[in-house]
Structures are given as C-alpha cells and as structure tokens.
Amino acid sequence: MTTPISERLADVETAREEGRRKIDWAREHMPIMASLREDFQDDQPFAGERIGMAMHVEAKTAVLAETLADGGAEVAITGCNPLSTHDDVSAALDAHENVTSYAERGVDDDAYYAAMEAVIDHEPTITVDDGMDLIAAIHEDYPELIDTIVGGCEETTTGVHRLRAMDEDGALDYPVFAVNDTPMKRLFDNVHGTGESSLASIAMTTNLSYAGKTVVVGGYGDCGRGVAKKASGQNARVIVTEVDARRALEAHMEGYEVMPMQEAAKEGDVFITTTGNRDVITREDFEEMKDGVLLANAGHFDVEIDLVALEEMAEEVTEPRDGIEAYVMPDGRELNVLAEGRLVNLATPVALGHPVEVMDQSFGVQAVCVRELIESGDEYDAGVHDVPDDLDREVAEIKLDAEGVGFDDLSDEQREYMGSWQHGT
C-alpha cells in the first residue's frame, strides 16, 4: 500500500520547511489564485468534495491544490510524471490539513501507478488531471466510482488529445473540461510557458548558449510556436519540422526554415520535440546527426525521441552532467539526451517548470472550472467540453485588474451593431 510522502522522507521537517518557502514565493506572484483563494475561503464552495489530482507536483501546482483545499475540499494528489515532482513541495503539501500527497520524484512505473491508485482510493468526486493518466485509470480499473464523479479538468495538449479520442470511442463516462484548449491557457501557457521554460531548463542543465546554434523544433503547434519564437529571440537559427501542411506554411511565413526531420537532422545542434506524438526523432535521424547534439522533449510523454533505437545503436551510455545521458555511437559521435527524454522543462534536475505568472493563469482556469463543476455539473453530459467563455474571461479580468491594466468596453450601440445582420453598406 502506498503511503503519503511524509512517511517516506528521512528528514520530513526540513523538506516541509524548504517546500513551504517555494510555495510561498510562488503564491506571492500569483494574483489570480490569491483572488480566487479569498473567494473560496469565504464561500467554501468545495465543502464535502473530494478532489483527486495527478499533476506536476511543484510550487505552482501546490498553490492550486491548497487553494482548492482552502475552499473546503479534501484533496489527494500525486505526480503525472516520474521526474517532475519536487519532494520538498510534496511534503509541504502533505502537511496541509486538507491535503494528502503521494507524489515522489524518481519512482519506477510500479510506484508511479501505485500512487495513482492511492489517490483513487480517496474516491474523488472531481478529478484534475495533467496528461489523463488519472482519468484513464479510473475508467479502466475503477469504473464503479464514475457514478459519483461530478466531472474533471484536463490541463495538457496531450491529455486533451487522449480525451477526445476516448470521447469519440464513446468511452468517456463523465464530463471533462478541456482546459488546454481555452485561450487563457493555450495562448500563454503553451506559447510563452513552454517556450521559456524548455529553453531555460536546457540552458541550465547544459550551461550552453543558443546564440549561433541551430535549433530544430519538432512540431509547430502552440508549444512549438513558443519554442521557435523564444529560440529565435536568443539568436539561434531555427528549423521547424511538421506533418501538417498549414502549420508548415505558417512556420515558413513566420520566417523559419521548414524541412523534413531527416534533413533537419543533419543541420541541428539542439532538437526539441513538441508534438505529443511518438517517434518524432528516429533511428534514421540519429544516423545523420552531428557529434554533440542535444536532444530534448517538451511533449508530455517520453515517446517523441526513439530511445529504444538510440540505446540499440549506442556502444555505451555515459552521464557527462546531471540530467544528461550521452549515447556514444560506434563512430565516436555522442548524442546527448536530456531528462531521459521526458518533459524537459519539468524533469531535469534543475527544472522549475513554467514561469509563475503563466501558471497563475492556467491554474486560475482550472480553479474556476472546478467551481463550475460544483455549481453546474448536472448541466454537462459525459464527454469533452470547452471551458465556458465567461470563465476564461473572468480569469483574464482578474489578471488585468491585478496588473493595473485598463481596457475598453463596448457601448450599447456597438453591441447592437455587432449583434445584428441588418446593418449593411
């Protein structure tokens, strides 16, 4: 039976103290969550609810978990990636009277899924997911709980892809908000968050510059767009690879070089995958790469770089720096993989994830979606649902107010004009 993190650490008090420092720093820079937390503390909208969470357990996530707990919920949380948990933050979370944290960094697959099952043992009435592993586990192994689940939220591009596929198969049996797809998440978290945090994590792990290097970005969705934009801003030459003609054209029109991965493999110094799909970089690409390249993945799962093929090709694997594995080819080339091919902005030893301000917005959307499920869950059928636009705008308005930014409103005449088809030339 999996026990909470506090029972597994040698010096839990020191861990909690350090984790609390991290959480408090994040909270100071999250005005949206501060505003919502104040409302939740007053109104206690989640009283009597059990919220199960599977997320990257680091400081910003802890602010979300504690905000929900302070609103009356019993929260059980674990990781959604074996390398993205900060044990000190997990321990600090576990000290909250309404939170139980099972998340621990560096666990094997068995322990990872055992912790997921420990969260499910709390019989959640709401799920908050990052990658959809929790939702999948409930549907596959604990379907008897579904009748008492009001609904859920899914944070990531990959998770929403999985959810939509599940929904199309008629296999999703409770309503889930696609938080990833709403503007306040997609336009900021995916673009600026992934772009900044991925590049920062790679730079801190390697202590290398982007200036003058060729960065190959696999995929030009919102995340790839952000990585390309930020790499270009750091004076790198950027090549984009794509499988969608429209996105390839968009990247071309934005001024990036666009070519197949097989050709880009010969050019790149740094490779960053952002597709959410498997086998983006394969054996044929490894054969073409230069000595010393850096291989990193910014997608949710560790399947974008074919590490099985790379290990088969290598004569040996060394660890030149923490968080880097160098695969030595028979011809002497070394291909360096960061964070075991896992989510690079959260899984390297120095990773901190997205900037605090960015996650304030995304977690603000998560929080209001949980509130919506409590207040109006009966109005949503089983399946994937877009986040109601008024909730997304609410989060944006809280942020602008906190930043002291004013914006215009439509006049009555403008609203009438925009709502009528009868105004012509």
Side-chain angles (χ1 to χ4, degrees), residues 277-358:
N277 207 341
R278 61 175 297 166
D279 301 334
V280 180
I281 301 178
T282 63
R283 179 186 298 269
E284 292 74 21
D285 304 316
F286 300 139
E287 291 172 349
E288 301 292 342
M289 289 179 179
K290 298 184 290 188
D291 179 36
V293 300
L294 305 178
L295 299 168
N297 167 48
H300 188 78
F301 293 118
D302 59 341
V303 296
E304 303 208 21
I305 302 169
D306 189 351
L307 296 179
V308 174
L310 188 56
E311 189 167 357
E312 290 173 352
M313 295 170 68
E315 287 192 338
E316 64 174 325
V317 181
T318 65
E319 189 177 8
R321 285 175 65 89
D322 290 345
I324 302 175
E325 292 175 313
Y327 289 76
V328 183
M329 299 292 104
D331 59 7
R333 290 178 300 129
E334 293 188 5
L335 311 185
N336 298 291
V337 175
L338 277 67
E340 301 176 13
R342 297 188 183 275
L343 197 59
V344 72
N345 65 320
L346 281 155
T348 67
V350 295
L352 296 174
H354 288 2
V356 177
E357 299 93 336
V358 168

Side-chain angles (χ1 to χ4, degrees), residues 159-173:
V160 170
H161 282 323
R162 295 179 72 194
L163 275 175
R164 293 196 186 282
M166 191 177 182
D167 196 9
E168 288 173 5
D169 287 344
L172 181 58
D173 292 328

